[in-house]
């Protein structure tokens, strides 16, 4: 009796009464296999319900029809939406997609990237965490195209697909200033992250254009989760002179701030960078710096494919535009 579970090539060989090598040659479509042997193998495949693991085979053999995508944090819905767009392009081109998360750790990013290159993937899309990507230079020279997504890389010639982070933040904060708000809080993740640094620069530009400077007491950074953003917003609301408006530099921070503001019914105008699920169902109006998330992933994947088809030296940066939109206000 055959063992239970998914049938393997060994099972097929035993059922057909042929060698494992013969099964491999038939399944991989190699020429010059005896027709009688081919028929026996194919009959066994049908009887057992065997399915070839195409992805595993491609990784073992170094088939370059595989794209590697290394995100900074796959638990973030932003990166999952980007990955979905990359996957759509990969599927259209009959390519496999392998995803991994660096968890914002430079050493993990390097290990994952070099491991995928060692498996001879057809290209890498990387959300950079490391400051120096010269470790990929030899791989690029050997023909592996690399595209940086959401943040620019360094030390290696590669294309980059970025958001207009600075312009989006500048527009959101300028709108709050134009509305007459004098005490504007700014909540963000670590300023060392490229996107945060750019959005913080946009905040400064908006304040300077209005002849003002951000109040250091109203600025809190290092907020990586909604929970810590919630605590930070609670502390600001407890001040004797609390903020009348807040700019949240990413969707996680916005969610945390809302969890503090809404239950208290605090009269605080909210502007946030990045849309998020259920934002349209909020009981009050907020402003969101929005953009086409799918466009980021699609452009990254298509740029990678273009580099595969026609390798070139140097690097190019494409900036995806942002826009301010209303969310919430449900009655």
């Amino acid at each position: 009796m055959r063992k239970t579970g998914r049938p393997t090539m060994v099972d097929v060989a035993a059922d057909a009464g042929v060698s494992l090598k013969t099964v491999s040659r038939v399944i991989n479509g190699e020429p010059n296999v005896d027709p009688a042997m081919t028929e026996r193998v194919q009959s066994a495949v049908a009887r057992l319900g065997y399915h070839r693991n195409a992805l595993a085979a491609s990784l073992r053999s170094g088939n370059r029809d595989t794209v590697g995508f290394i995100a900074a944090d796959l638990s973030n819905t932003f990166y999952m939406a980007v990955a979905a767009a990359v996957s759509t392009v990969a599927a259209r081109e009959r390519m496999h997609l392998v995803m991994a998360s660096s968890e914002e750790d430079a050493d993990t990013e390097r290990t994952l990237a070099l491991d995928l290159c060692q498996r001879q993937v057809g290209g890498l899309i990387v959300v950079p965490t490391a400051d120096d990507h010269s470790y990929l230079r030899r791989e690029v020279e050997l023909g592996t195209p690399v595209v940086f997504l959401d943040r620019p890389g360094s030390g290696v010639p590669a294309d980059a697909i970025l958001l207009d982070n600075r312009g989006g933040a500048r527009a959101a904060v300028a709108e709050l200033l134009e509305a007459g708000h004098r005490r504007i809080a700014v909540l963000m993740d670590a300023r060392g992250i490229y996107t945060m640094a750019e959005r913080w620069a946009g905040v400064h530009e908006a304040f300077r254009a209005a002849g003002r400077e951000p109040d250091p007491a109203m600025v809190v950074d290092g907020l990586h989760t909604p929970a810590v953003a919630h605590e930070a917003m609670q502390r600001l609301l407890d001040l004797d002179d609390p903020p009348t408006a807040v700019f949240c530099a990413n969707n996680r921070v916005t969610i945390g701030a809302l969890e503090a503001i809404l239950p208290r019914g605090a009269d605080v105008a909210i502007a946030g960078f990045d849309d998020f699920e259920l934002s349209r169902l909020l009981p009050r109006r907020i402003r969101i710096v929005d953009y086409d998330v799918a466009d980021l992933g699609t452009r990254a994947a298509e740029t990678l494919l273009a580099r595969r088809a026609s390798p070139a030296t140097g690097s190019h940066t494409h900036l995806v535009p942002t826009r301010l939109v209303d969310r919430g206000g449900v009655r």
Side-chain angles (χ1 to χ4, degrees), residues 67 69 82 85-86 89 124-126 146-150 159-162 293-307 318 320:
V67 173
F69 174 44
V82 169
V86 173
V89 175
L124 281 178
I125 297 174
V126 182
V146 175
V147 173
F148 292 115
L149 173 69
D150 191 39
D159 298 293
I161 312 298
L162 311 175
V293 183
D295 189 33
L296 273 172
T298 299
R299 286 182 181 274
E302 291 182 342
T303 299
L304 190 74
L305 293 174
R307 284 294 195 197
H318 178 82
V320 173

Coordinates of all heavy atoms in Angstrom, one line a residue, residues 67 69 82 85-86 89 124-126 146-150 159-162 293-307 318 320:
V67 N 11.0 35.7 -9.5 CA 11.3 37.1 -9.0 C 11.3 37.0 -7.5 O 10.3 36.5 -6.9 CB 10.2 38.1 -9.5 CG1 10.4 39.4 -8.8 CG2 10.3 38.2 -11.0
F69 N 11.0 39.1 -4.0 CA 10.5 40.4 -3.4 C 10.8 40.4 -1.9 O 10.3 39.6 -1.1 CB 9.0 40.6 -3.7 CG 8.4 41.8 -3.0 CD1 9.1 43.0 -3.0 CD2 7.2 41.7 -2.3 CE1 8.6 44.2 -2.4 CE2 6.7 42.9 -1.7 CZ 7.3 44.1 -1.8
V82 N 1.4 46.0 -2.3 CA 2.5 46.1 -3.3 C 2.8 44.7 -3.8 O 2.9 44.5 -5.0 CB 3.7 46.8 -2.7 CG1 4.9 46.7 -3.7 CG2 3.5 48.3 -2.4
A85 N 0.4 43.5 -6.4 CA 0.6 44.1 -7.7 C 1.8 43.4 -8.4 O 1.7 43.1 -9.6 CB 0.8 45.6 -7.6
V86 N 2.8 43.2 -7.7 CA 4.0 42.5 -8.3 C 3.6 41.1 -8.7 O 4.0 40.6 -9.8 CB 5.2 42.4 -7.2 CG1 6.3 41.6 -7.8 CG2 5.7 43.8 -6.9
V89 N 1.8 41.0 -12.1 CA 2.7 41.1 -13.3 C 3.5 39.8 -13.5 O 3.6 39.4 -14.6 CB 3.6 42.3 -13.1 CG1 4.6 42.4 -14.2 CG2 2.9 43.6 -13.0
L124 N 15.5 40.8 -8.5 CA 15.2 41.2 -7.1 C 14.5 42.5 -7.0 O 14.9 43.5 -7.6 CB 16.4 41.2 -6.2 CG 17.1 40.0 -5.7 CD1 18.3 40.3 -4.9 CD2 16.1 39.2 -4.8
I125 N 13.4 42.5 -6.3 CA 12.7 43.8 -5.9 C 12.9 43.9 -4.4 O 12.5 43.0 -3.6 CB 11.2 43.8 -6.2 CG1 11.1 43.7 -7.7 CG2 10.6 45.1 -5.7 CD1 9.6 43.6 -8.2
V126 N 13.6 45.0 -3.9 CA 14.0 45.1 -2.5 C 13.5 46.4 -1.9 O 13.7 47.5 -2.5 CB 15.5 45.0 -2.4 CG1 15.9 45.1 -0.9 CG2 16.1 43.8 -3.0
V146 N 18.2 44.4 -10.3 CA 17.7 44.8 -9.0 C 16.9 46.1 -9.1 O 17.3 47.1 -9.7 CB 18.8 45.0 -8.0 CG1 18.3 45.5 -6.6 CG2 19.6 43.7 -7.8
V147 N 15.7 46.1 -8.5 CA 14.9 47.3 -8.4 C 14.6 47.6 -6.9 O 14.1 46.7 -6.2 CB 13.6 47.2 -9.2 CG1 12.7 48.4 -8.9 CG2 13.8 47.0 -10.7
F148 N 14.9 48.8 -6.5 CA 14.6 49.2 -5.1 C 13.2 49.9 -5.1 O 12.8 50.6 -6.0 CB 15.6 50.2 -4.6 CG 17.0 49.6 -4.4 CD1 18.1 50.0 -5.2 CD2 17.2 48.6 -3.5 CE1 19.3 49.4 -5.0 CE2 18.4 48.0 -3.3 CZ 19.5 48.4 -4.1
L149 N 12.4 49.5 -4.1 CA 11.0 50.0 -4.0 C 10.8 50.7 -2.7 O 11.3 50.3 -1.6 CB 10.1 48.7 -4.1 CG 8.6 48.9 -3.8 CD1 8.0 49.7 -5.0 CD2 7.9 47.6 -3.7
D150 N 10.1 51.8 -2.8 CA 9.7 52.6 -1.6 C 10.8 53.5 -1.0 O 10.6 54.5 -0.5 CB 9.0 51.7 -0.6 CG 8.3 52.5 0.5 OD1 7.7 53.5 0.2 OD2 8.4 52.1 1.7
D159 N 17.6 50.6 -10.5 CA 16.4 51.5 -10.6 C 15.7 51.6 -9.2 O 15.8 50.7 -8.4 CB 15.4 50.9 -11.6 CG 16.1 50.8 -13.0 OD1 16.4 51.9 -13.6 OD2 16.3 49.7 -13.5
A160 N 15.0 52.7 -9.1 CA 14.2 52.9 -7.8 C 12.8 53.4 -8.2 O 12.7 54.3 -9.0 CB 14.9 53.8 -6.9
I161 N 11.8 52.8 -7.5 CA 10.4 53.3 -7.6 C 10.0 53.9 -6.3 O 9.9 53.1 -5.3 CB 9.5 52.1 -8.1 CG1 10.1 51.3 -9.2 CG2 8.1 52.7 -8.4 CD1 10.2 52.1 -10.5
L162 N 9.8 55.2 -6.2 CA 9.6 55.8 -5.0 C 8.3 56.6 -5.0 O 7.8 57.1 -6.0 CB 10.7 56.8 -4.6 CG 12.1 56.2 -4.8 CD1 13.2 57.4 -4.5 CD2 12.4 55.1 -3.8
V293 N -1.2 52.5 -4.8 CA -0.3 51.5 -4.2 C 0.0 50.4 -5.3 O 1.2 50.0 -5.5 CB -0.9 50.7 -3.0 CG1 0.1 49.7 -2.4 CG2 -1.4 51.7 -2.0
A294 N -1.0 50.0 -6.1 CA -0.7 49.0 -7.1 C 0.3 49.6 -8.2 O 1.0 48.8 -8.7 CB -2.1 48.7 -7.8
D295 N 0.2 50.9 -8.4 CA 1.2 51.4 -9.4 C 2.6 51.2 -8.9 O 3.5 51.0 -9.8 CB 0.8 52.9 -9.6 CG 1.6 53.6 -10.7 OD1 1.9 52.8 -11.7 OD2 2.0 54.7 -10.6
L296 N 2.9 51.4 -7.6 CA 4.2 51.1 -7.1 C 4.7 49.7 -7.5 O 5.8 49.5 -8.0 CB 4.2 51.3 -5.6 CG 4.5 52.7 -5.0 CD1 4.2 52.7 -3.5 CD2 5.9 53.2 -5.3
G297 N 3.9 48.7 -7.1 CA 4.3 47.3 -7.4 C 4.3 47.0 -8.8 O 5.3 46.3 -9.3
T298 N 3.4 47.5 -9.6 CA 3.4 47.3 -11.1 C 4.6 47.9 -11.7 O 5.3 47.2 -12.6 CB 2.1 47.8 -11.7 OG1 0.9 47.2 -11.1 CG2 2.1 47.6 -13.2
R299 N 4.9 49.1 -11.4 CA 6.1 49.8 -12.0 C 7.4 49.1 -11.6 O 8.3 48.9 -12.4 CB 6.1 51.2 -11.6 CG 5.1 52.1 -12.3 CD 5.2 53.5 -11.9 NE 4.2 54.4 -12.6 CZ 4.4 54.9 -13.8 NH1 5.5 54.7 -14.5 NH2 3.4 55.6 -14.3
A300 N 7.4 48.6 -10.4 CA 8.7 47.9 -9.9 C 8.8 46.6 -10.7 O 9.9 46.3 -11.2 CB 8.6 47.6 -8.4
A301 N 7.8 45.9 -10.9 CA 7.8 44.6 -11.6 C 8.1 44.8 -13.1 O 9.0 44.1 -13.6 CB 6.5 43.8 -11.4
E302 N 7.5 45.8 -13.7 CA 7.7 46.0 -15.1 C 9.1 46.6 -15.4 O 9.7 46.3 -16.4 CB 6.6 46.9 -15.6 CG 5.2 46.2 -15.7 CD 4.1 47.1 -16.2 OE1 4.3 48.3 -16.3 OE2 3.1 46.5 -16.6
T303 N 9.6 47.4 -14.4 CA 10.9 47.9 -14.6 C 11.9 46.7 -14.5 O 12.9 46.7 -15.3 CB 11.2 48.9 -13.5 OG1 10.4 50.0 -13.6 CG2 12.7 49.4 -13.6
L304 N 11.7 45.8 -13.6 CA 12.6 44.6 -13.5 C 12.6 43.8 -14.7 O 13.6 43.4 -15.2 CB 12.1 43.8 -12.3 CG 13.0 42.6 -11.9 CD1 14.2 43.2 -11.1 CD2 12.3 41.6 -11.0
L305 N 11.4 43.6 -15.3 CA 11.3 42.8 -16.5 C 12.0 43.5 -17.7 O 12.6 42.9 -18.5 CB 9.8 42.6 -16.9 CG 9.0 41.7 -15.9 CD1 7.6 41.6 -16.3 CD2 9.6 40.3 -15.9
A306 N 11.9 44.8 -17.7 CA 12.5 45.6 -18.8 C 14.0 45.5 -18.7 O 14.8 45.4 -19.7 CB 12.1 47.1 -18.7
R307 N 14.6 45.5 -17.4 CA 16.0 45.3 -17.2 C 16.5 43.9 -17.6 O 17.6 43.7 -18.1 CB 16.3 45.6 -15.8 CG 16.4 47.0 -15.4 CD 17.5 47.8 -16.1 NE 17.7 49.1 -15.5 CZ 18.4 50.1 -16.0 NH1 18.8 49.9 -17.3 NH2 18.6 51.2 -15.4
H318 N 11.9 56.6 -10.5 CA 10.6 57.0 -10.9 C 9.8 57.4 -9.6 O 9.8 56.7 -8.7 CB 9.8 55.9 -11.6 CG 8.4 56.3 -12.0 ND1 8.1 57.1 -13.1 CD2 7.2 56.1 -11.3 CE1 6.8 57.3 -13.2 NE2 6.2 56.7 -12.1
V320 N 6.3 58.2 -7.9 CA 4.8 58.1 -8.0 C 4.2 59.2 -7.2 O 4.5 59.5 -6.1 CB 4.4 56.7 -7.4 CG1 2.9 56.6 -7.3 CG2 5.0 55.6 -8.2

